[in-house]
Amino acid sequence: MKVTIVIKTLNEELNIEKCLKSVISELKTIEGGEIILVDSLSEDKTIEISRKYPIKIIQLEDKKDRTCSVGPYLGYINSKYNFIYIIDGDMIFKKGFLKKACEIISNEKIAAVGGLMDEPFSGNLISKKYQEKKQKTGEVDYLDGGGLYRKKIIDEIGFLTNPYLYGNEESDIGFRIRQKGYKIIRIPDIAFVHIRDKKSSLNE
């Protein structure tokens, strides 16, 4: 099984190197794959740093096209493998998770597999909110925070994410998947560490 890993970025110079190293390491635990970084016209050194790695980089042409959904959409239409994992540029894969997710999604009735998010407390209210939120495991309606998708099923439902949506793209994907009778699973394993900005205006 080979996987296309799609990384969404916007001004992630502080985190992107850690993210890329973790993604490259995880691909080595399976048969390999490709990495597609979709950047929403970062104004820092995100792209400069990313060019040091053997990945494909796609950038938007206009800032007005920035949405939460455009990264997964562009990654999906440019992917060449049968499975796609969506991750943000401020996420670091937990070692061994990708291999476990690949084993579970081998069941053809399962369209997507995700895991839990580890979000170390950074001192801001967004981080606190995520820490307090209990993520449901087992069969779920959708995957927030990325996950592994079976491309054949995504082709069947039409597209991965609607590039014009400014939010709730995961629940939209989940609704379309479940309408076709397929399952979405979240396993009780940490999928990634999510790094949030300690300088957020929501600091307490």
Side-chain angles (χ1 to χ4, degrees):
M1 180 186 292
K2 291 189 175 183
V3 176
T4 295
I5 297 184
V6 178
I7 305 173
K8 304 182 293 178
T9 59
L10 174 61
N11 298 328
E12 291 292 352
E13 65 177 11
L14 297 179
N15 305 312
I16 191 57
E17 195 150 32
K18 293 176 183 176
C19 175
L20 284 168
K21 286 180 177 179
S22 75
V23 168
I24 291 168
S25 177
E26 282 299 278
L27 282 177
K28 290 178 181 177
T29 68
I30 58 172
E31 294 178 19
E34 62 177 344
I35 301 168
I36 301 177
L37 185 144
V38 183
D39 183 73
S40 293
L41 292 175
S42 290
E43 297 169 343
D44 61 3
K45 295 182 179 179
T46 297
I47 296 302
E48 180 182 335
I49 295 168
S50 300
R51 286 196 177 116
K52 298 187 295 183
Y53 294 87
I55 66 173
K56 181 175 184 177
I57 297 174
I58 299 172
Q59 277 192 297
L60 300 185
E61 294 182 352
D62 197 315
K63 289 181 182 179
K64 69 175 175 25
D65 295 325
R66 286 175 175 169
T67 68
C68 295
S69 309
V70 71
Y73 173 79
L74 291 174
Y76 160 67
I77 64 174
N78 285 279
S79 64
K80 63 182 181 181
Y81 293 118
N82 295 328
F83 297 90
I84 303 170
Y85 199 105
I86 307 298
I87 190 170
D88 290 350
D90 60 355
M91 295 175 175
I92 301 171
F93 255 128
K94 202 72 171 178
K95 189 174 181 180
F97 180 80
L98 182 59
K99 183 177 181 180
K100 183 169 288 189
C102 287
E103 291 169 354
I104 293 170
I105 208 170
S106 62
N107 181 329
E108 293 195 358
K109 291 301 292 181
I110 297 177
V113 176
L116 300 174
M117 174 172 62
D118 180 10
E119 184 149 27
F121 182 58
S122 64
N124 68 50
L125 294 179
I126 294 175
S127 175
K128 185 176 181 180
K129 177 182 175 183
Y130 272 93
Q131 279 192 316
E132 292 172 347
K133 179 181 177 183
K134 175 102 172 144
Q135 287 185 299
K136 180 184 174 185
T137 58
E139 188 170 348
V140 295
D141 290 341
Y142 64 91
L143 296 173
D144 50 348
L148 180 67
Y149 292 85
R150 183 186 296 274
K151 190 171 186 289
K152 181 179 178 181
I153 293 176
I154 301 305
D155 293 340
E156 185 179 336
I157 66 173
F159 52 90
L160 184 56
T161 53
N162 182 336
Y164 303 108
L165 284 180
Y166 285 85
N168 299 315
E169 68 277 12
E170 295 103 336
S171 56
D172 174 68
I173 303 165
F175 175 75
R176 288 183 285 115
I177 286 173
R178 289 181 290 106
Q179 264 198 326
K180 290 288 186 178
Y182 296 107
K183 296 180 179 181
I184 302 169
I185 304 295
R186 179 182 285 118
I187 61 176
D189 293 70
I190 300 296
F192 56 84
V193 177
H194 191 194
I195 308 165
R196 284 200 179 272
D197 184 6
K198 294 181 181 179
K199 298 179 180 179
S200 167
S201 60
L202 292 177
N203 282 351
E204 290 185 293

